[in-house]
Amino acid sequence: MRKKLFLSSLLIILITIMLSMLSVNFVFQKHFSDYLTQTMEATLEQLPEDLSTIYQAKGEWDVNALNNFSHNLPFGTEIELKSPTGKTILTLVNPMQRMHGGMGMGMGMNMGMGSYSVQEWKTKKLNIYGPEGTIATAIVRYPASARILNPQDVSFINAVFRSFLYAGLLALLIGILLSYWTSHRLVSPLQRLTKSVKRVGEGHLDEHVPITTKDEVGQLAIAFNNMTDNLKNQQQLRKQFTADIAHELRTPLTSIRSYIEAFQDGVLPANEENFHIINDEIERLV
């Protein structure tokens, strides 16, 4: 029973931990994806002002400054910068994105640097203004859902899920210890009770079990102790009853025996009066 109780408790703990981790994973992915989407949208809103600042710094487009600016772009975002005449000035993509296979990383329980296909894209057309008016047009293409993570995001997610894993392992260890302690605490009184029942069956009516709890097991121990007390009292009553019966039988038999011996010895005459006394003693026996 202890083994079954321990395994069943352990199974419940394992299922609970797994469901908890899956739930946390789902919720975390959802909220983190929403956070990345909001961050991406906020970054794109700042594009016209940032690009305008780069242009006005030298009065022309500085390729080096644009390349440095591309390091701050969200992963998966591609910006095609065109002049007012429609000529492509430069295409901006985060350099780290090129290093990791073009389309970034996916997010899951096991975070890895694997590419994936974006199901839906969004496109924005932003006008860049300077002192003399429109200086360029930025055609921005980015994923509708920010599932793409940069290496810093991947490192953060990995750290979070490692923490979840360590917490799950610690919870499992604590669960194993608690399951063992609980099964031992529940089964040990029953084992003691089983041994006591066997001793009572062998005639040891003084047997009692200790009462350590007030739950169902403790109530069972109380009931067992009351039962042994009742059995002991019943045994004493039977002994007393047997002794009383023996006394009630012995007295008239002794009297009858005395009269018969007196008849045999001629001490008393075998007349109707003495036979009447013997008959009364027989009636008493009946």
Side-chain angles (χ1 to χ4, degrees), residues 47-56 61 125-137:
L47 276 177
E49 182 179 348
D50 294 339
L51 291 175
S52 177
T53 301
I54 292 174
Y55 179 85
Q56 294 181 46
W61 292 111
K125 184 177 181 180
L126 303 174
N127 292 323
I128 313 301
Y129 297 99
E132 63 274 16
T134 302
I135 57 177
T137 300

Side-chain angles (χ1 to χ4, degrees), residues 24-193:
V24 170
N25 175 52
F26 174 77
V27 174
F28 187 84
Q29 286 191 46
K30 180 66 172 61
H31 285 282
F32 198 79
S33 178
D34 293 342
Y35 161 76
L36 291 177
T37 301
Q38 294 173 3
T39 302
M40 178 184 292
E41 295 287 349
T43 301
L44 296 180
E45 291 294 330
Q46 287 293 115
L47 276 177
E49 182 179 348
D50 294 339
L51 291 175
S52 177
T53 301
I54 292 174
Y55 179 85
Q56 294 181 46
K58 290 188 176 181
E60 60 179 359
W61 292 111
D62 185 352
V63 176
N64 291 330
L66 289 174
N67 287 331
N68 290 333
F69 173 75
S70 65
H71 285 82
N72 299 322
L73 294 178
F75 267 49
T77 303
E78 181 180 298
I79 301 175
E80 185 178 3
L81 195 61
K82 292 187 176 183
S83 65
T85 60
K87 181 181 178 180
T88 299
I89 300 172
L90 191 66
T91 300
L92 303 178
V93 179
N94 194 316
M96 292 294 293
Q97 183 176 312
R98 296 192 182 96
M99 293 175 57
H100 295 293
M103 283 311 302
M105 288 68 67
M107 179 169 65
M109 284 297 293
N110 295 318
M111 303 302 300
M113 304 291 284
S115 62
Y116 69 91
S117 59
V118 176
Q119 301 297 325
E120 184 180 354
W121 293 89
K122 285 187 178 181
T123 302
K124 280 188 177 183
K125 184 177 181 180
L126 303 174
N127 292 323
I128 313 301
Y129 297 99
E132 63 274 16
T134 302
I135 57 177
T137 300
I139 308 299
V140 183
R141 185 170 179 262
Y142 61 97
S145 178
R147 294 169 52 208
I148 303 174
L149 304 176
N150 59 39
Q152 290 79 16
D153 294 329
V154 173
S155 177
F156 170 73
I157 295 295
N158 284 335
V160 170
F161 280 102
R162 276 197 301 268
S163 299
F164 288 158
L165 179 61
Y166 295 151
L169 292 176
L170 179 60
L172 178 61
L173 177 60
I174 295 175
I176 291 174
L177 296 176
L178 288 178
S179 297
Y180 178 81
W181 178 79
T182 302
S183 61
H184 177 75
R185 183 175 178 83
L186 290 177
V187 174
S188 293
L190 297 179
Q191 290 177 337
R192 290 195 298 267
L193 185 60

Side-chain angles (χ1 to χ4, degrees), residues 6 31 89 99 103 112 136 183 200 203 207 217 230 252 256 268 276:
F6 172 75
H31 285 282
I89 300 172
M99 293 175 57
M103 283 311 302
S183 61
V200 170
E207 189 72 21
V217 177
N230 290 333
I256 294 172
L268 290 176
H276 182 71

